[in-house]
């Protein structure tokens, strides 16, 4: 294999003191949720809030004085861009980052804030990649690959060394796979320390690139995923053989489980995971039997999620739990009725979030109207109680499925 | 004083291995935000997600076999309730928790889940307190006070020992004050280690109980605060003299700064703070000059915030930053116009979140209408561009201040 545990140990010495030795902590509430003994490595607490700091720095630190002076280039719309920009700036190395023109402005801005030169080019990642390679050749820049580079893979592997140092009796690591750098480095390091540890990979069901490569299937790749950090259509030339040799199983996670996992990290563990960062937990929720009673290490590999998306994930979860519910009521269209209903809802302990009054429906008398109310309840049973009370009082309530405008 | 550093050191030995030695980490993005060198102690990662585990356990561990058998009682609607319930269950001590009848159901449920007997009684905290004392006497239970107990104060003080062990050159600690247990214990421990360290206290501006006690003012106490964990109307008999002796200044923080601080912890530091947990950071935002270039230790003392409230805080912040904006347009009321506007907004890169069509306003011709659109923008400048484009096309846009129904 292209990377050895000695490379990972060398990377650890190289990056020591320059990236955070992140906490590795027991997560009792995630253990209760999954039935396993779960420990979390908080890579979302790195300066650029993902594990990418490690591989990027290990690569940058390896450059000759001459190469440092010419500078580096990377192609990324995400965490790798910020990691390269941040550590290049720290080391005084000029950095150019090529991003697709569709990159959200906040990500452009976050990368620019670290002092990198940003080139917006290409409709797709593939087009941006071509552009980056052209610039690299023309200007003699060193290309920092997001995963298919032995130094990057070795850098990411330092995570597993730290995890096993802190919790030596882990028996399973569950690791997200995008291009495969994180899992390849971690698998090499972990297996060298502990030959019988099981390494499980996780891909977004919409991007099963390693799954396809390992199984020979041709599942379609593409679509909008909450886990855009692992939405990679290609497998790495260096990472695929390592994954093939050391990873026992790949679990595909759908969007609903990714959402649940992001929400669980936030509400139970009080920490912010992006979709890709929560993929390991999502896999445990998809296949709970596989992990029951195991001692599992999860890498919360990134925390860069858009606040509006996160707010939406939280509100949708409250709807799923029926802590936010909507009813459509049929009411006589005369003054005072809304006041009566609002008062009644208050008595029932329901907190009104939204009210919409609709006169134009045809299935009520001309003097009638529909009233859509969205309320916050204590729990599902409380929602039922409110429904029954409104029914008993003749408002003919009907459940409505969408509760908020946030979705 | 009623508590010494020896008591805190004894507490540390007592609770070792039974509560988490939480991470203490540099927070470079909060440093950039505040102009200070900020380090954060993550007490929100404790099992019950607040520092209350420490004092509760130190008290419980001190009980005689006989007292353990009879059991304990506490009065709390919040973090203290969960901490007492959790550690009592661990130690096999029966626990009764008295909560006001107004306590949100999720908090009742979370406490009940730890196996405590819950008594819902009293409209206010004061009434619940009376009830708890009555039960304690009748059933011979040990009362576990949330702050006014030397063992509880000593337990909370262990936080400062750990902070200074990890970052010995801190020059300032900024600590939230509810009943004063956390700041009293921490001040005793920190000053004993480092006599010249400055201890700054923080209260919610709506609950300036220590402020009033120290200054002789009579500011009003009360109101709905995001920091309900420090909304305490009384000062402790034991804690007040310690605060008077060791705390250099109290900073009062308003609701807007508490919201900003909760949001900053989440979006910059990727961690979940409740209002009280973010109060220290809020104080730094209120008085940036005081802390500039200082080496500051913040205690993120709790992470138990309602997900709907947190979602609302995040969305409100996006509105403040003009990343979510609303316009009211005047349009001719004929088919196709909405399609034209939606298409145009798409071309301008605005992501439409909400549309409301209003025909009943009198300041437009009978054949006209108003259209309220809420869009997500890249930033403030982008919002201006969209506004100007709509103006140039004759839609007479006007800014609207409230953007969502989440508030």
């Amino acid at each position: 294999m292209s990377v050895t545990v000695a490379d990972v140990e060398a990377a650890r010495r190289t990056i020591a003191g320059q990236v955070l030795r992140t906490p590795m902590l027991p997560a009792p509430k995630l253990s209760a949720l999954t039935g396993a003994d779960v420990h979390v490595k908080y890579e979302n607490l790195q300066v650029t809030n993902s594990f990418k700091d490690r591989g990027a720095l290990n690569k940058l630190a390896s450059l000759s004085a001459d190469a440092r002076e010419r500078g580096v280039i990377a192609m990324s719309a995400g965490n790798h861009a910020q990691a390269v920009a941040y550590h290049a700036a720290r080391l005084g190395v000029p950095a150019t980052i090529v991003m697709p023109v569709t990159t959200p402005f906040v990500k452009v801005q976050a990368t620019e804030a670290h002092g990198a030169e940003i080139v917006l080019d290409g409709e797709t990642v593939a087009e941006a990649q071509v552009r980056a390679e052209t610039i690299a050749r023309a200007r003699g820049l060193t290309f920092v690959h997001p995963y298919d580079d032995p130094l990057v893979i070795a850098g990411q592997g330092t995570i597993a060394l730290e995890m096993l140092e802190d919790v030596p009796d882990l028996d399973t690591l569950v690791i997200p796979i995008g291009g495969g750098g994180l899992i390849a480095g971690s698998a090499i390091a972990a297996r060298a320390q502990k030959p019988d540890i099981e390494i499980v990979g996780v891909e977004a069901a919409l991007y099963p690139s390693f799954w396809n490569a390992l199984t020979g299937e041709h599942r379609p790749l593409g679509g909008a995923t909450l886990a855009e950090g692992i939405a990679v259509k290609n497998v790495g030339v260096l990472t695929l053989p390592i994954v093939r040799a050391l990873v026992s199983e790949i679990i595909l996670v759908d969007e609903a489980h990714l959402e649940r996992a992001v929400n669980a990290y936030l509400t139970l563990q009080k920490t912010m995971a992006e979709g890709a960062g929560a993929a390991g937990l999502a896999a445990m929720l998809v296949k709970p039997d596989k992990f029951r009673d195991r001692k599992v290490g999860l890498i919360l590999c990134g925390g860069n999620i858009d606040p509006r998306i996160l707010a939406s994930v939280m509100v949708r979860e409250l709807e799923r739990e029926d802590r936010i519910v909507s009813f459509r009521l049929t009411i006589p269209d005369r003054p005072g009725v809304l006041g009566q209903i609002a008062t009644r809802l208050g008595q029932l302990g329901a907190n009104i979030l939204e009210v919409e009054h609709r006169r134009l429906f045809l299935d009520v008398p001309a003097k009638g109207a529909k009233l859509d109310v969205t309320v916050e309840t204590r729990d599902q049973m409380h929602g039922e109680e409110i429904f029954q009370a409104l029914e008993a009082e003749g408002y003919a309530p009907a459940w409505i499925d969408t509760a908020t405008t946030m979705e």
Side-chain angles (χ1 to χ4, degrees), chain A residues 329-344:
Chain A
L329 311 179
T330 305
I331 59 169
D333 189 15
R334 57 176 165 71
V337 174
L338 179 56
Q340 285 167 17
I341 292 173
T343 304
R344 188 71 188 100

Side-chain angles (χ1 to χ4, degrees), chain A residues 18-182:
Chain A
Q18 299 182 73
V19 303
L20 204 61
R21 192 189 188 296
T22 51
M24 169 78 175
L25 299 172
K29 286 178 182 164
L30 298 184
S31 298
L33 179 70
T34 58
D37 182 6
V38 180
H39 293 247
V40 174
K41 180 74 168 164
Y42 288 85
E43 283 302 291
N44 62 338
L45 296 178
Q46 290 291 0
V47 172
T48 67
N49 304 113
S50 92
F51 72 97
K52 294 280 190 182
D53 279 31
R54 296 174 186 256
L57 175 58
N58 196 43
K59 175 71 177 179
L60 291 170
S62 75
L63 300 181
S64 67
D66 184 47
R68 285 191 188 210
E69 202 166 308
R70 283 199 306 278
V72 297
I73 189 167
M75 193 291 296
S76 163
N79 293 334
H80 179 60
Q82 289 186 52
V84 172
Y86 172 70
H87 286 286
R90 278 187 53 245
L91 301 172
V93 177
T96 303
I97 310 288
V98 183
M99 299 177 134
V101 293
T102 53
T103 306
F105 186 70
V106 278
K107 297 202 172 185
V108 177
Q109 213 172 19
T111 309
E112 211 161 25
H114 293 303
E117 180 191 339
I118 309 294
V119 177
L120 285 171
D121 203 340
E123 284 296 322
T124 65
V125 163
E127 286 177 30
Q129 175 73 27
V130 170
R131 174 75 169 147
E133 286 163 7
T134 309
I135 298 174
R137 274 191 302 272
R139 289 167 44 188
L141 305 178
T142 302
F143 189 78
V144 182
H145 198 281
Y147 51 85
D148 231 358
D149 181 309
L151 287 158
V152 172
I153 293 170
Q156 322 303 29
T158 57
I159 296 169
L161 290 185
E162 293 173 11
M163 291 172 81
L164 283 167
E165 200 169 84
D166 289 351
V167 186
D169 54 343
L170 290 175
D171 55 48
T172 311
L173 300 182
V174 187
I175 304 178
I177 308 182
L182 175 62

